[in-house]
Amino acid sequence: VKGPSFYELGHDVTAETVYTASGMAAISALLLASSQVIEQGELLVSPASYGETQELIDSYARHLQRVILKREPTEDEASKSSRLLLLDSSAPTAEFETALRTIDSALDLMVVDTTCFSGSSVQIRRVVNRANEQGVPLVMVRSHTKLDSLGAEYGRLGSITFVHHRQRALSGSGPANINELPTHVRNAVRLLGGAALPAHFPPYVALPAYRELARRRQAAILRNSRLATRYLLAALPASMEDGCFAHGLYLTLKGASRFDELTSRRAAAELSDDLERAGFPIRHAGSFGFDFAATEWFRNPATGRYSVRIAVPDLPTSLWNELVAS
């Protein structure tokens, strides 16, 4: 299956993409295929990286030792034989910036989960430029059902994109056969049955208006997110979770007393039910990227604390402000 690129990477970059049936199918195929080119290594991950990705590493990528990245490694720590970095777009801003500074020539491979950034995001471009400057091989994985289907959740689609700069192929200071990784990834997708189908592509993704509409939608979400954060910090400062997310797609609220999983689930349901009865477009739903506000329980992978996550929609700003104030 071949399709149009969801990324806008610039004229100095080409991309080789393998499409999969979901985002988890993409990261799973990549990590399993990496065992064919990396015998043993360390995988640096941010504390708040996506929980299922961390579970996948520990359970099925035994050739990679997961190392929680709490600061930039020292020179002694950076002398390991094989070092990989997983940069997750779901991380809080501080963790994302720390991981970005960790990109250096000592890395053998960098994997970026771009799911929470739009395809034209400045953050993605920063990562691509940094990897290019340091000569680090770069692979981007993504779930496309969140931001790339204009809120329609049209079908399950993921991708693995190998980034090539004009003067640099997928190579570097790491294992000599790292340039064979795309071939091993394609084999893994085939053998695991995780390939995409043509029906998984939103039918409008190649139309000229698509990118402009996607940019406008993302801009509306980010604007609404900033307004909500500003309002809630002033109105309910004790309820706002510490820190903010690099993507700006959702925010989290904590209770007056400490939540566990059950109480956070109940609070998310009651919050959406109350506001929905008042006539607002909000649902108790998992994930994000909807055309309505969505509440769900949330567990911080770094701290283990539970809270309520509010996924910000692209609603008209006046309606969103009224919803937040209620």
Side-chain angles (χ1 to χ4, degrees):
V1 174
K2 295 182 179 179
S5 175
F6 285 82
Y7 296 109
E8 297 179 34
L9 299 176
H11 298 297
D12 58 334
V13 175
T14 59
E16 177 184 1
T17 298
V18 179
Y19 286 103
T20 62
S22 68
M24 284 306 298
I27 187 67
S28 299
L30 177 64
L31 291 181
L32 291 175
S34 70
S35 66
Q36 303 301 305
V37 298
I38 297 173
E39 186 175 346
Q40 293 289 330
E42 290 184 341
L43 180 56
L44 308 177
V45 302
S46 298
S49 294
Y50 188 53
E52 288 189 355
T53 300
Q54 298 197 49
E55 183 181 351
L56 171 68
I57 296 165
D58 293 341
S59 300
Y60 297 103
R62 298 293 181 86
H63 62 293
L64 299 175
Q65 178 187 359
R66 181 169 62 93
V67 177
I68 297 297
L69 181 65
K70 296 183 179 179
R71 53 179 171 73
E72 294 139 61
T74 65
E75 289 187 7
D76 290 339
E77 292 172 327
S79 63
K80 303 289 185 181
S81 56
S82 292
R83 289 176 60 242
L84 294 77
L85 173 67
L86 173 62
L87 182 54
D88 198 322
S89 58
S90 67
T93 300
E95 289 185 20
F96 182 84
E97 293 298 326
T98 296
L100 193 61
R101 291 193 298 270
T102 304
I103 305 172
D104 59 38
S105 58
L107 288 172
D108 299 310
L109 182 67
M110 180 177 176
V111 180
V112 187
D113 185 332
T114 66
T115 298
C116 294
F117 294 143
S118 68
S120 59
S121 171
V122 173
Q123 298 285 36
I124 291 178
R125 190 64 194 176
R126 289 178 67 203
V127 171
V128 172
N129 289 341
R130 178 71 176 172
N132 182 39
E133 292 169 359
Q134 298 298 320
V136 179
L138 174 62
V139 184
M140 301 192 296
V141 297
R142 187 174 185 85
S143 168
H144 294 280
T145 58
K146 313 298 182 186
L147 298 179
D148 298 327
S149 56
L150 297 180
E153 291 278 350
Y154 181 81
R156 296 173 61 81
L157 183 67
S159 67
I160 308 156
T161 298
F162 300 91
V163 178
H164 307 296
H165 283 82
R166 184 172 297 171
Q167 298 178 344
R168 180 178 293 115
L170 187 66
S171 60
S173 60
N177 58 345
I178 192 71
N179 60 336
E180 299 174 5
L181 187 56
T183 298
H184 290 298
V185 163
R186 286 188 172 88
N187 285 335
V189 171
R190 174 176 60 86
L191 294 172
L192 293 170
L197 300 174
H200 290 167
F201 286 86
Y204 41 73
V205 71
L207 298 179
Y210 167 76
R211 291 192 187 279
E212 178 60 25
L213 290 173
R215 277 193 288 265
R216 290 185 185 183
R217 177 170 182 261
Q218 183 73 359
I221 292 174
L222 295 178
R223 179 176 62 250
N224 287 343
S225 178
R226 286 192 294 269
L227 290 171
T229 299
R230 192 179 307 153
Y231 180 90
L232 292 172
L233 279 173
L236 301 170
S239 296
M240 291 292 291
E241 281 275 81
D242 295 332
C244 58
F245 294 92
H247 49 69
L249 298 178
Y250 51 76
L251 51 93
T252 54
L253 297 174
K254 57 186 178 182
S257 57
R258 192 179 182 93
F259 281 145
D260 56 21
E261 182 176 339
L262 179 61
T263 53
S264 63
R265 284 178 183 272
R266 185 180 299 135
E270 291 176 353
L271 175 60
S272 61
D273 289 346
D274 289 345
L275 290 172
E276 190 174 1
R277 279 194 294 269
F280 291 106
I282 187 170
R283 303 286 186 275
H284 181 205
S287 194
F288 53 89
F290 302 115
D291 56 355
F292 52 84
T295 63
E296 182 60 295
W297 67 280
F298 180 78
R299 181 182 182 275
N300 187 316
T303 64
R305 291 198 298 261
Y306 289 89
S307 57
V308 172
R309 183 180 73 181
I310 302 176
V312 181
D314 59 338
L315 291 173
T317 299
S318 58
L319 176 59
W320 171 248
N321 286 343
E322 187 180 351
L323 189 157
V324 172
S326 298

